[in-house]
Amino acid sequence: MHKWGMVIDLDRCTACQACVVACHSENNIALIGPEESAKGRTIHWIELIPYFEGEYPHIKARLIPRLCMHCEHPPCTKVCPVYATYLNEEGIVTQINYRCIGCRYCTTACPYTVKYFNWYAPKWPKEMKGSLNRDVSIRTKGVVEKCTFCHHRLLKAREKAKVEGRDLLPEDYIPACVQACPSGAMFFGDLNDPFSTVSKLSRERRAFRLMEDLGTEPKVYYLSEGV
Amino acid sequence: MEKTHYNRTEDEILFNSIERTGRSFCLTLFILVAIILWAIYAYQFQYREGLGVTGLARPIFWGVYITNFVFFIGISHAGTLISAILRLAKAEWRRSITRSAEVITVLVLFFGVGNILMDLGRPDRMFNIIKYSQFRSPLLWDVSSITVYLTASSIYLYLPLIPDIALLRDRGKKRPWLYRILALGWRGTERQHRLLEKAISVMAILVIPVAVSVHTVVSFVFAMTIQPMWHSAIFGPYFVAGAIFSGIAALIVAMNVIRKVYHLEEYLRPVHFNHLGILLLVMTLLWFYFTFTEYLTTYYGGEPIHMTIFWMKLTGRFAPYFWGMVLFCFVIPLPILSFKKMRTPFGTLIASISVIIGMWLERYVIVIPTLTNPRLPNEMVRYFPTWIEWSMFAGCIAFFILLYMLFTKLFPIVSIWEVREGREKSLAEIQERIRTYLPGLGAE
């Protein structure tokens, strides 16, 4: 069984936000106008956030891409009353949009605040409507959404491998953000495979995860030389 | 019986509210309906546009609706619990107040649940809770325990109502068909009385653990997450104590209104308010004890993530709400309730209104500050409830008052048969009871 995970090398990341753009167009993320953005209603499945280490004057600040951590022990799935979010057998925390009742319990329970709510029905300018991704369903108003590790790409890759009569190869399934990263700072793959890139990198000396003390066991690793 | 100070015709006044309708009733009804219609307008606006019309945003996903949910469920602890405890303790002064208390419980529960439904992004999918129930979610524990509570307290309200409905049926003045059905063939025989007493005392015992569990589970919605100042083991008892606190206050307010409007000064006497005032005083002190423990534990632990919220409440952005809560929950009611001279109907009314405001602020201070400061850096978002949220709050209160008023138009708000029973039987019963407690009173 696969256990999908991601490694982001912060020493290589230039904070160019290509991943953010790629994610937006891949996953049909609604465009929230400037007015609503100011109120805090934006949706970004991946986003660059300022991250501070230490205290002044020994402070170190950097921008880090933050996405759903796909925790092994997700605080969000436990509290969902309708199984609209759950950890699937391959380690992806999935979100069933058409079942979500919009109670926003998962969004308040997530310590990484990576779950987003559709305050209004999603909107796009007319010109953009033709270029929406047909593999990703469009959310309605009043439901929660978040990063799925581009799960639709996995489904597609698996179908393709089946048609060609072969096993799924590591390079078959890559999320849009990893694919778009120009500095090669993002890696994706199977953490269960001891020889995969992500597996090797996740065991490196530089590797850490966000808020490991919470016991959520994220499957997104960061690499950094540290202070 | 003939020798007693009262005679039966004096209970006439208890039927007045049902049989006569004044102009002020119609006027109040009109105002309440207007407020409710306004709230319905606000809700359909929210339903059409989405929850964006509220002041909520990321990361403050929960606001006034959830505050109101906790608040209303808290108020509901007035009735059933107090009435059950007083009944089991055989407190004789309960007789004229139990009914008005039990009605609060049953009616206000609908607004607790209603606020959760208003808060849903997709209320049309609410039955998914039954279709795909996931019992690890504390929200589902809530659904279960509130359902049980509503059922139990409805039965508990209905049982002592049966003899009174039969009285109304026998008078045959208004709606005889309705009372005939609801009286379930009550004839007041010895056997029926025995069965009724038994059923009431079984229900009284049953509703106490149910009531305690309901508010514990409401607190679990917060306490089971790992968010700062929510993740606390004391939340269960803290919420239950707060619920009883605000519940008694609501009962005192309701009794004051009933007393004035229906001229029931003879039935709801200063002594009732004095006794309830003492209960409220105890709860005031208990509230302080719980709040103090909760905040002191956080302070001594000193975990940075908790301390941010802690200082936000004590000195930061939420200080007006926090200190307002302390003022209304403790500083104002404590001196009023401490002196017997001030535990009059009016004195307790002032203290109770203060407690209700304070307890609403407490719920607000629990729900919102925790969400404003997530662990990872986030956009600075301030939460201000919009007119939609305030309208719905007003609508809930108006609807509750409306239902309560209609109840008094259909059924006697003071339990007539229990008052009569107290008059006719209790004196002898109490004498008998005291004989069993003490030596030297002629008991074997």
Side-chain angles (χ1 to χ4, degrees):
Chain A
M1 190 57 72
H2 300 287
K3 194 164 96 183
W4 304 107
M6 191 182 282
V7 175
I8 301 172
D9 189 340
L10 297 176
D11 297 333
R12 282 197 194 182
C13 173
T14 60
C16 69
Q17 308 211 42
C19 51
V20 179
V21 176
C23 177
H24 267 250
S25 59
E26 175 75 16
N27 290 300
N28 298 338
I29 292 170
L31 289 179
I32 316 286
E35 215 175 276
E36 290 299 312
S37 294
K39 289 188 199 163
R41 265 90 179 262
T42 46
I43 298 177
H44 305 287
W45 289 8
I46 183 167
E47 180 179 23
L48 277 108
I49 57 162
Y51 192 72
F52 301 99
E53 280 169 278
E55 296 241 332
Y56 179 82
H58 310 292
I59 200 163
K60 192 179 174 191
R62 56 155 66 97
L63 290 167
I64 69 166
R66 174 200 41 195
L67 63 159
C68 174
M69 299 290 145
H70 294 276
C71 309
E72 271 302 286
H73 303 297
C76 61
T77 60
K78 267 194 281 194
V79 299
C80 176
V82 295
Y83 280 112
T85 181
Y86 64 96
L87 184 70
N88 78 5
E89 62 273 21
E90 288 181 274
I92 298 177
V93 177
T94 47
Q95 192 81 31
I96 309 176
N97 296 312
Y98 60 82
R99 186 182 289 174
C100 176
I101 57 170
C103 68
R104 308 190 297 296
Y105 198 176
C106 59
T107 57
T108 56
C110 173
Y112 301 95
T113 41
V114 290
K115 304 203 113 184
Y116 297 82
F117 186 70
N118 285 278
W119 300 101
Y120 293 104
K123 270 185 241 137
W124 290 272
K126 218 198 306 164
E127 296 75 23
M128 274 185 72
K129 277 196 181 143
S131 54
L132 292 178
N133 186 353
R134 285 165 194 222
D135 296 335
V136 178
S137 61
I138 289 172
R139 276 75 62 185
T140 65
K141 70 165 185 259
V143 299
V144 171
E145 62 178 77
K146 68 162 196 74
C147 163
T148 61
F149 268 170
C150 288
H151 187 248
H152 57 281
R153 289 193 172 201
L154 173 63
L155 298 179
K156 226 176 170 177
R158 196 161 272 156
E159 284 298 308
K160 197 168 166 233
K162 203 173 168 189
V163 168
E164 291 169 9
R166 58 178 175 85
D167 283 341
L168 191 71
L169 296 172
E171 58 270 27
D172 285 343
Y173 169 37
I174 293 169
C177 53
V178 177
Q179 194 181 22
C181 182
S183 52
M186 298 173 92
F187 306 91
F188 187 82
D190 184 3
L191 288 169
N192 271 353
D193 174 3
F195 304 108
S196 72
T197 323
V198 282
S199 163
K200 276 189 232 157
L201 287 174
S202 73
R203 280 173 278 130
E204 217 186 88
R205 180 181 50 82
R206 293 188 299 150
F208 72 96
R209 293 178 289 180
L210 289 181
M211 294 188 271
E212 271 173 285
D213 54 320
L214 294 179
T216 50
E217 301 281 320
K219 284 195 286 291
V220 175
Y221 289 80
Y222 294 92
L223 302 178
S224 166
E225 215 30 89
V227 192
Chain B
M1 211 190 300
E2 306 87 87
K3 278 185 201 152
T4 45
H5 171 66
Y6 282 93
N7 58 48
R8 281 185 169 211
T9 52
E10 269 192 59
D11 285 333
E12 269 308 298
I13 195 162
L14 295 180
F15 293 105
N16 274 355
S17 68
I18 301 163
E19 286 159 8
R20 280 180 227 158
T21 302
R23 189 190 269 167
S24 56
F25 179 87
C26 296
L27 187 69
T28 321
L29 198 73
F30 179 75
I31 296 170
L32 292 176
V33 170
I35 298 174
I36 294 164
L37 287 176
W38 175 252
I40 290 171
Y41 167 74
Y43 183 70
Q44 68 82 29
F45 188 64
Q46 177 189 305
Y47 187 84
R48 230 164 5 116
E49 294 290 316
L51 276 163
V53 300
T54 63
L56 300 167
R58 197 176 72 102
I60 307 156
F61 287 105
W62 282 351
V64 163
Y65 293 148
I66 297 292
T67 307
N68 285 346
F69 158 66
V70 184
F71 174 71
F72 282 126
I73 301 282
I75 296 281
S76 85
H77 276 54
T80 306
L81 196 59
I82 294 166
S83 148
I85 291 169
L86 293 181
R87 250 189 244 271
L88 290 176
K90 294 208 163 78
E92 285 300 325
W93 57 279
R94 72 169 193 274
R95 291 182 184 273
S96 46
I97 66 167
T98 48
R99 175 79 41 83
S100 49
E102 289 153 15
V103 181
I104 296 181
T105 297
V106 175
L107 295 183
V108 91
L109 270 180
F110 290 104
F111 301 97
V113 176
N115 268 286
I116 283 277
L117 297 182
M118 288 172 206
D119 190 60
L120 291 186
R122 293 295 303 257
D124 52 318
R125 292 178 184 170
M126 66 185 190
F127 289 111
N128 280 5
I129 291 179
I130 298 160
K131 246 159 93 189
Y132 306 105
S133 12
Q134 207 263 104
F135 270 95
R136 280 193 306 165
S137 168
L139 217 53
L140 221 71
W141 309 345
D142 260 349
V143 173
S144 320
S145 67
I146 291 175
T147 314
V148 174
Y149 187 42
L150 184 60
T151 318
S153 49
S154 301
I155 296 172
Y156 185 66
L157 167 69
Y158 179 60
L159 285 176
L161 204 58
I162 295 173
D164 279 359
I165 296 174
L167 279 177
L168 287 167
R169 175 197 62 192
D170 298 341
R171 285 168 76 90
K173 286 199 178 158
K174 271 192 171 176
R175 299 174 284 266
W177 54 273
L178 176 73
Y179 298 129
R180 196 159 45 239
I181 298 167
L182 289 177
L184 300 177
W186 176 267
R187 276 171 291 114
T189 60
E190 198 59 30
R191 188 172 160 272
Q192 282 184 332
H193 262 292
R194 228 181 20 251
L195 275 174
L196 184 72
E197 296 283 350
K198 199 176 225 169
I200 291 175
S201 52
V202 167
M203 285 312 293
I205 295 169
L206 208 68
V207 291
I208 292 175
V210 175
V212 171
S213 79
V214 167
H215 224 78
T216 307
V217 171
V218 168
S219 85
F220 282 176
V221 169
F222 306 99
M224 293 296 144
T225 65
I226 46 172
Q227 302 300 11
M229 291 205 81
W230 278 3
H231 191 57
S232 153
I234 207 177
F235 256 37
Y238 185 27
F239 271 47
V240 173
I244 300 171
F245 187 35
S246 62
I248 297 173
L251 174 60
I252 293 176
V253 172
M255 277 168 57
N256 258 295
V257 175
I258 296 164
R259 186 171 188 260
K260 271 270 144 345
V261 173
Y262 294 129
H263 311 292
L264 298 180
E265 285 87 352
E266 281 297 314
Y267 293 87
L268 305 173
R269 296 178 161 206
V271 63
H272 293 118
F273 292 91
N274 178 52
H275 287 1
L276 283 175
I278 293 171
L279 268 179
L280 195 62
L281 176 65
V282 173
M283 295 315 296
T284 309
L285 296 169
L286 211 54
W287 175 86
F288 182 79
Y289 162 72
F290 273 115
T291 309
F292 183 72
T293 316
E294 165 74 4
Y295 284 82
L296 188 70
T297 314
T298 307
Y299 178 69
Y300 255 68
E303 279 185 74
I305 187 81
H306 289 260
M307 289 314 282
T308 319
I309 311 287
F310 180 87
W311 289 120
M312 215 186 246
K313 291 187 191 185
L314 262 73
T315 56
R317 191 141 42 98
F318 294 97
Y321 299 95
F322 179 84
W323 294 109
M325 162 186 94
V326 174
L327 178 74
F328 286 116
C329 280
F330 193 69
V331 179
I332 294 178
L334 186 72
I336 297 180
L337 297 170
S338 295
F339 300 103
K340 184 151 199 260
K341 233 185 224 161
M342 306 230 267
R343 280 198 302 268
T344 56
F346 184 71
T348 52
L349 175 69
I350 298 297
S352 297
I353 291 173
S354 160
V355 167
I356 291 175
I357 297 171
M359 282 310 292
W360 190 85
L361 288 172
E362 191 214 272
R363 308 319 194 183
Y364 190 86
V365 165
I366 285 175
V367 175
I368 283 101
T370 290
L371 292 173
T372 53
N373 191 57
R375 287 184 168 83
L376 289 177
N378 207 77
E379 284 152 274
M380 185 66 165
V381 173
R382 290 196 176 205
Y383 171 64
F384 293 109
T386 58
W387 67 271
I388 302 265
E389 285 158 287
W390 292 125
S391 307
M392 308 268 259
F393 189 17
C396 284
I397 292 171
F399 209 163
F400 167 70
I401 297 173
L402 178 84
L403 290 178
Y404 203 97
M405 274 168 68
L406 293 180
F407 184 91
T408 65
K409 283 286 139 198
L410 286 174
F411 305 105
I413 197 66
V414 171
S415 181
I416 300 169
W417 72 277
E418 279 181 285
V419 168
R420 284 183 183 166
E421 189 191 58
R423 215 179 276 144
E424 290 156 12
K425 288 189 197 156
S426 293
L427 220 56
E429 225 176 76
I430 290 168
Q431 270 181 356
E432 196 54 44
R433 212 194 302 159
I434 291 172
R435 249 188 264 280
T436 63
Y437 299 156
L438 301 167
L441 285 171
E444 340 153 32

